[in-house]
Amino acid sequence: MDAKKTFLSWPVLRQFRSGDFLGRGPAVTSERTRTLEPRTKTADRVVQSVCPYCAVGCGQRVYVKDEKVVQIEGDPDSPISRGRLCPKGSASEQLVNSPIRQTHVLYRRPHGTSWERMDRDTAIDMIADRFVESRRRTWQDADEHGRPLRRTMGIASLGGATLDNEENYLIKKLFTAAGAIQIENQARI
Ligand code: SF4
């Protein structure tokens, strides 16, 4: 018999001795389990945040150690989610620390066969230039009977469910002001 294991550590006796009669608590935890400490306990600080995945906007507590995110849990202070996260939100730490996470803008030029890195300002300028050029090229001022249209069918917007109300409001305002009428959101589709 293992030196540490005695007659008193026999499971049934352990259950009675610890008061854990159903064997769902301390009577069935292993030595190793008892020595483990949750990452939430050893973190240097906790930052409140919002889950980035969907428009529900569940509150999160982000646990940081040595300036690195080590765990993300539901925030009980959130009036929206009251401490809960769905399976996707619960896995947010894997999004933050994934070794395959993209942290650079990637561009594949026409007829290109591979992606190349691009700095963010260049990418934003390219998008803005193409937006303005598409609008200019596809602008419809009136139909064939002279009735005013003042629109472009060359620009469309498809938002993701992670956009919140305020972002959707601004997107709708910008695109409508530019004359686009094809404005959709993935959550509605
Ligand atoms: S993905 Fe899940 S946890 Fe995140 S905001 Fe949506 S419902 Fe909440």
Side-chain angles (χ1 to χ4, degrees):
M1 186 182 267
D2 190 317
K4 285 184 187 161
K5 286 187 179 165
T6 64
F7 175 71
L8 289 176
S9 64
W10 191 43
V12 175
L13 287 182
R14 234 176 24 224
Q15 281 176 231
F16 282 104
R17 283 175 56 232
S18 64
D20 177 20
F21 300 121
L22 295 176
R24 293 176 176 172
V28 290
T29 54
S30 68
E31 184 76 38
R32 174 164 158 68
T33 301
R34 280 191 289 276
T35 58
L36 291 177
E37 248 187 328
R39 289 190 292 267
T40 51
K41 255 195 171 170
T42 52
D44 299 328
R45 60 195 166 93
V46 185
V47 184
Q48 284 184 303
S49 187
V50 176
C51 175
Y53 280 123
C54 91
V56 175
C58 297
Q60 293 186 323
R61 286 189 178 174
V62 181
Y63 293 82
V64 182
K65 187 170 178 59
D66 300 329
E67 294 308 304
K68 186 175 181 301
V69 172
V70 290
Q71 183 63 20
I72 297 179
E73 299 277 341
D75 184 357
D77 291 339
S78 166
I80 296 165
S81 49
R82 292 177 291 168
R84 299 172 182 88
L85 293 175
C86 78
K88 202 157 72 165
S90 305
S92 306
E93 182 272 333
Q94 292 167 23
L95 169 76
V96 177
N97 291 323
S98 168
I100 57 169
R101 179 180 172 186
Q102 289 299 336
T103 55
H104 296 93
V105 175
L106 294 178
Y107 174 63
R108 201 176 74 181
R109 57 184 68 246
H111 308 294
T113 54
S114 59
W115 295 94
E116 50 192 275
R117 274 193 192 175
M118 179 177 275
D119 72 279
R120 203 186 53 158
D121 288 347
T122 307
I124 290 175
D125 284 349
M126 271 175 70
I127 293 167
D129 288 347
R130 289 175 185 196
F131 186 97
V132 171
E133 168 56 19
S134 295
R135 182 175 182 273
R136 191 196 57 70
R137 195 165 31 80
T138 61
W139 184 255
Q140 297 171 317
D141 212 41
D143 68 9
E144 63 273 23
H145 305 294
R147 288 175 296 212
L149 290 174
R150 293 199 281 271
R151 71 182 187 191
T152 170
M153 299 291 277
I155 300 172
S157 167
L158 176 60
T162 190
L163 296 167
D164 58 33
N165 281 348
E166 292 76 13
E167 287 161 337
N168 278 311
Y169 171 77
L170 291 172
I171 287 169
K172 171 73 176 142
K173 204 167 182 176
L174 170 71
F175 278 81
T176 301
I181 56 173
Q182 303 161 125
I183 303 162
E184 254 309 346
N185 188 286
Q186 171 253 315
R188 207 167 73 135
I189 292 171

